[in-house]
Amino acid sequence: DTPDWASGLAPAISPGGVVNAASYAAGAAISPGSIVTVFGSFPLYASAQAPSLPLPASLAGVSVDVGGIPAPLFYVSGPQVNVQIPWELAGQSQATLTATAWGQPGAAQTVSLAPFSPGIFSMNGGQGAIQDNSQRLVDSSNPAAAGSVVVIYCTGLGAVTNQPATGFPAPTSLLAETTTKPTVLIGGATAGVQFSGLAPGLVGAYQVNAVVPSGSATGDAVPVTISIGGFVSNTVTIAVGNAR
């Protein structure tokens, strides 16, 4: 039932408020299977996080429909909702996104869809969510060396083999690999890609395992980008030291 305080309060999505959850790129297309953040106003008691996997289609009275398909929810709060774009929308160029709270739908917003929408997660908009093989953050206290492998966490790398169902975690055996191989630039040099696919056990998150190239610039804020299918990610940074 709709609580008394929520009566007549419909959710409202901000203009252009549907963005890649990693890059926050405004006006960019989003891709099926990826994680997006929907900014707006959502009437609810308190923020809520999905308690378990697979992800639910409703949290704290809020649900989101994309192209007629319920979108799995990671997190909901007053100003934002994090959802996975359903895999079923592959091949479509646009879809209508509608948020509903306590049974009251808000105004629909049309979003552009693309096969790829690469975005690299970051800790603060700068330092990338990039780890070494020991799952330690690659930052100034733990710089990577040329020839070492780093794991870049991202979203929006498109179709994969062994695709999980929408809202379900990626397989941990017989991994879900991207059907298109991305290009990774670290410090202006092309990195060798050892693996590109969904991060095992996570929903909508991808990982790219890349070898730091010998031609990379060094320093505490070396730029990293991912390109795939003609789309380029946001730029994040890692620390790269001299070869040991």
Side-chain angles (χ1 to χ4, degrees), residues 151-167:
V151 180
I152 305 166
Y153 289 95
C154 51
T155 195
L157 300 191
V160 294
T161 61
N162 198 27
Q163 175 193 297
T166 294

Side-chain angles (χ1 to χ4, degrees), residues 135-239:
Q135 297 185 319
R136 295 182 302 163
L137 192 67
V138 180
D139 60 10
S140 58
S141 66
N142 181 41
S148 66
V149 175
V150 293
V151 180
I152 305 166
Y153 289 95
C154 51
T155 195
L157 300 191
V160 294
T161 61
N162 198 27
Q163 175 193 297
T166 294
F168 281 72
T172 54
S173 59
L174 191 57
L175 300 177
E177 299 192 43
T178 59
T179 56
T180 300
K181 189 174 182 178
T183 298
V184 176
L185 291 182
I186 298 178
T190 303
V193 173
Q194 292 187 337
F195 172 79
S196 169
L198 293 176
L202 301 181
V203 178
Y206 295 70
Q207 71 178 67
V208 177
N209 299 6
V211 180
V212 178
S214 57
S216 170
T218 58
D220 289 344
V222 171
V224 178
T225 60
I226 294 175
S227 304
I228 187 168
F231 295 81
V232 183
S233 74
N234 54 317
T235 300
V236 300
T237 63
I238 62 169

Side-chain angles (χ1 to χ4, degrees), residues 1-167:
D1 293 342
T2 304
D4 291 341
W5 61 265
S7 181
L9 292 177
I13 301 170
S14 301
V18 183
V19 299
N20 183 300
S23 68
Y24 291 152
I30 53 181
S31 60
S34 69
I35 306 171
V36 304
T37 296
V38 182
F39 289 110
S41 176
F42 305 93
L44 38 93
Y45 285 117
S47 59
Q49 193 158 347
S52 60
L53 298 176
L55 295 175
S58 177
L59 267 179
V62 173
S63 60
V64 174
D65 179 283
V66 187
I69 301 168
L73 305 180
F74 294 88
Y75 171 82
V76 297
S77 68
Q80 76 177 72
V81 175
N82 291 353
V83 309
Q84 182 189 29
I85 298 300
W87 288 108
E88 291 86 347
L89 297 174
Q92 299 189 29
S93 60
Q94 64 180 33
T96 299
L97 187 149
T98 307
T100 299
W102 307 105
Q104 301 181 79
Q109 189 167 127
T110 299
V111 294
S112 297
L113 299 175
F116 309 100
S117 57
I120 305 174
F121 290 101
S122 65
M123 312 310 291
N124 52 17
Q127 167 68 49
I130 302 173
Q131 297 179 337
D132 62 16
N133 272 336
S134 300
Q135 297 185 319
R136 295 182 302 163
L137 192 67
V138 180
D139 60 10
S140 58
S141 66
N142 181 41
S148 66
V149 175
V150 293
V151 180
I152 305 166
Y153 289 95
C154 51
T155 195
L157 300 191
V160 294
T161 61
N162 198 27
Q163 175 193 297
T166 294

